[in-house]
Amino acid sequence: MLGFLVVVTRAYLLHMDINCGCFATPEPIGPKKIVEDAALSALALLMTYFAFVEARKPHPWSAPQPAQSSALPR
């Protein structure tokens, strides 16, 4: 997503006449398209961040781990 955002922004800044058919409707690249792609990139980054945060938490259905005693078995 970030790579696509960079390419679309570069094409806009270089005044390339390119139609983006991302959502099945060809639309010229402009500020609206760049904002749209930036918003989708931000959502993808947020989803990735929250997925990593959630993956670090213990699963709510998992059984609790027994407490380990500090005494070593002999």
Side-chain angles (χ1 to χ4, degrees):
M1 289 298 298
L2 291 175
F4 185 72
L5 175 61
V6 169
V7 170
V8 168
T9 304
R10 183 176 182 270
Y12 174 72
L13 292 175
L14 293 174
H15 304 289
M16 294 181 170
D17 188 23
I18 298 174
N19 284 333
C20 181
C22 301
F23 296 106
T25 308
E27 182 179 324
I29 293 176
K32 178 186 168 193
K33 185 56 69 178
I34 292 172
V35 169
E36 182 180 288
D37 290 339
L40 289 174
S41 295
L43 285 174
L45 287 173
L46 279 173
M47 286 177 28
T48 302
Y49 170 76
F50 285 121
F52 277 107
V53 168
E54 191 66 27
R56 293 184 62 131
K57 295 179 183 177
H59 196 277
W61 297 342
S62 62
Q65 298 294 327
Q68 303 243 345
S69 66
S70 60
L72 295 175
R74 297 180 186 197

